[in-house]
Every structure is written in structure tokens, then in C-alpha cells.
């Protein structure tokens, strides 16, 4: 399946248009709390919050967040 075939829900797109970072928009769409995401990533909540709020993320960080959310990296990095 090509990357262009991965769906991004309208709610996620709208949240990003309204100013949310894609990571936060996806987290809220999927129903995860910041604490749950930190646990999934095996990091401290404060570190997850920093990742979520930082505009520039490394490819590695984007990839591990996408895996923890159960989505394809192209759905997160748009």
C-alpha cells in the first residue's frame, strides 16, 4: 500500500488547522491521555509533553510516536 493511501480523519485535520500539533490531534482522536502515551513510549510524561509541543521532531521521534499510536508515520508527519 502506498503512503498516499493512509487515511487521515477529518477531525485530525481540523484540529491541526485549528492550531494543534499533529501528535496532539492524533492522540486526542485516538482517545489516549498524555500519561498513556508516555507509558506506551516508556518515557516520562514531561518528556512526552515536550515531544508533543515541539514543532520540529526528528524522524526517529515521529516514527516511534506513530508506532505507539498504531498509525503509519505518514499519517503523523503531514
Amino acid at each position: 500500500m502506498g503512503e498516499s493511501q493512509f487515511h487521515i480523519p477529518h477531525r485530525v485535520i481540523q484540529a491541526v488547522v485549528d492550531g494543534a500539533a499533529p501528535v496532539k490531534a492524533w492522540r486526542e482522536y485516538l482517545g489516549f491521555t498524555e500519561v498513556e502515551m508516555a507509558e506506551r513510549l516508556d518515557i516520562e510524561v514531561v518528556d512526552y509533553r515536550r515531544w508533543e509541543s515541539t514543532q520540529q521532531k526528528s524522524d526517529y521521534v515521529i516514527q516511534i510516536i506513530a508506532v505507539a499510536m498504531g498509525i503509519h508515520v505518514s499519517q503523523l508527519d503531514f
Side-chain angles (χ1 to χ4, degrees):
M1 181 181 286
E3 286 187 16
S4 64
Q5 295 177 332
F6 289 99
H7 177 72
I8 300 173
H10 177 71
R11 275 185 31 209
V12 172
I13 294 170
Q14 188 61 54
V16 171
V17 168
D18 291 343
V23 172
K24 181 177 183 177
W26 269 105
R27 177 183 57 77
E28 290 178 345
Y29 175 79
L30 294 170
F32 296 128
T33 66
E34 292 173 337
V35 172
E36 290 170 324
M37 283 304 302
E39 288 172 355
R40 285 172 165 257
L41 294 161
D42 196 27
I43 61 174
E44 297 294 324
V45 175
V46 68
D47 294 324
Y48 175 77
R49 287 180 180 142
R50 189 174 308 116
W51 282 1
E52 188 173 276
S53 66
T54 303
Q55 292 300 328
Q56 294 285 22
K57 291 173 205 40
S58 71
D59 291 342
Y60 174 74
V61 169
I62 292 169
Q63 185 174 24
I64 64 170
I65 291 173
V67 168
M69 289 181 170
I71 62 175
H72 190 271
V73 70
S74 67
Q75 293 172 287
L76 187 58
D77 190 19
F78 69 97

